[in-house]
């Protein structure tokens, strides 16, 4: 079975459920969908997309939060009660209790957009010209295998063209995340712009 194509976005936006702002939550998810869909479409083409939502929530004042599944639809202000119930259901499953009288808040919102991967013939990546890009700069990074800091190349994802080959150790950085390429791996940017990591032969 082919692995699905998926892209997950997490956005921090604190909301207390007793002051739930449905239009703000809807606008946030609309923006997340607008960011995720073009990325998934690169590999999925016109196939149907599946969207799932969740949020990291906690009792106000707690130092940790839990993941709570959310309905995938436009929200209304009265959905505060639904989100509160979903949180307490999840909290009860984890801790066998709830805490009465304590307000609940959302710390961050999550969207996972995915699609079944079409047949390879429908999604063959465009051919690329292999090349070795120049790093933006370098910096020391701790190497757990070596037990010491080593100087590694730092590449900016936005400047990497399809066909780029990067030999580890290196780090590929972008606004939301970083991809660490260990000394045992090489990275390649394929024709769709995805990062492929390949372990080198021993």
């Amino acid at each position: 079975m082919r692995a699905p194509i998926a892209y997950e976005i997490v956005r921090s936006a604190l909301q207390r459920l007793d002051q739930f702002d449905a239009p703000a939550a809807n606008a946030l998810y609309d923006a997340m969908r607008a960011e995720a869909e073009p990325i998934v479409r690169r590999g999925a083409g016109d196939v149907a997309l599946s969207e799932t939502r969740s949020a990291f929530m906690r009792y106000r004042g707690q130092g940790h939060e839990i993941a709570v599944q959310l309905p995938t639809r436009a929200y209304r202000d009265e959905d505060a009660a639904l989100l509160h119930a979903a949180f307490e259901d999840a909290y009860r499953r984890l801790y066998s209790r709830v805490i009465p009288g304590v307000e609940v808040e959302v710390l961050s919102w999550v969207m996972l957009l995915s699609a079944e991967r079409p047949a390879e013939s429908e999604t063959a990546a465009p051919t690329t010209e292999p090349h070795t890009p120049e790093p933006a700069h370098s910096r020391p990074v701790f190497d757990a295998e070596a037990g010491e800091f080593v100087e590694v190349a730092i590449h900016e994802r936005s400047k990497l063209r399809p066909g780029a080959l990067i030999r580890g150790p290196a780090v590929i950085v972008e606004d939301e995340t970083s991809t660490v390429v260990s000394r045992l791996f090489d990275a390649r940017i394929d024709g769709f712009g995805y990062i492929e990591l390949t372990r080198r032969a021993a």
Side-chain angles (χ1 to χ4, degrees), residues 139 171-174 176-180:
R139 71 165 181 252
V171 179
I172 301 172
V173 298
E174 47 191 313
E176 301 295 334
T177 189
S178 296
T179 301
V180 177

Side-chain angles (χ1 to χ4, degrees), residues 8-193:
E8 184 176 81
I9 300 178
V10 181
R11 288 287 182 269
S12 297
L14 180 66
Q15 271 211 50
R16 287 175 50 176
L17 293 187
D18 64 336
Q19 301 171 357
F20 181 54
D21 185 342
N26 290 331
L28 182 63
Y29 272 116
D30 287 345
M32 294 162 72
R33 175 87 185 208
E35 177 182 336
E37 184 163 350
I39 296 171
V40 177
R41 287 288 181 205
R42 289 184 203 170
D46 295 329
V47 302
L49 303 184
S50 174
E51 178 183 329
T52 58
R53 298 180 181 183
S54 59
F56 288 99
M57 303 167 67
R58 68 183 182 187
Y59 284 114
R60 193 175 183 212
Q62 285 186 327
H64 65 280
E65 59 273 2
I66 64 173
V68 179
Q69 291 299 119
L70 302 183
T72 302
R73 59 167 173 77
Y75 302 123
R76 304 179 295 273
D77 287 338
E78 56 267 31
D79 284 330
L82 183 148
L83 270 61
H84 190 283
F87 168 79
E88 291 204 325
D89 285 346
Y91 197 92
R92 187 179 290 106
R93 285 194 297 272
L94 288 171
Y95 304 111
S96 300
R97 66 187 180 95
V98 295
I99 305 176
V102 180
E103 188 48 58
V104 175
E105 59 188 8
V106 179
L107 277 75
S108 54
W109 310 77
V110 183
M111 170 185 286
L112 175 66
L113 196 64
S114 62
E116 292 300 320
R117 189 179 297 273
E120 292 299 321
S121 61
E122 299 174 11
T123 59
T127 57
T128 60
E129 181 180 348
H131 62 279
T132 302
E134 288 294 324
H137 56 90
S138 65
R139 71 165 181 252
V141 172
F142 185 75
D143 187 325
E145 295 177 353
E148 61 184 4
F149 282 89
V150 296
E151 197 76 14
V152 303
I154 307 298
H155 294 267
E156 296 179 9
R157 175 76 180 271
S158 61
K159 296 182 179 178
L160 296 177
R161 295 182 289 106
L165 299 173
I166 298 169
R167 186 175 179 83
V171 179
I172 301 172
V173 298
E174 47 191 313
D175 290 342
E176 301 295 334
T177 189
S178 296
T179 301
V180 177
V181 186
S182 81
R183 66 172 64 203
L184 301 177
F185 284 77
D186 293 329
R188 169 181 173 267
I189 307 300
D190 71 9
F192 293 121

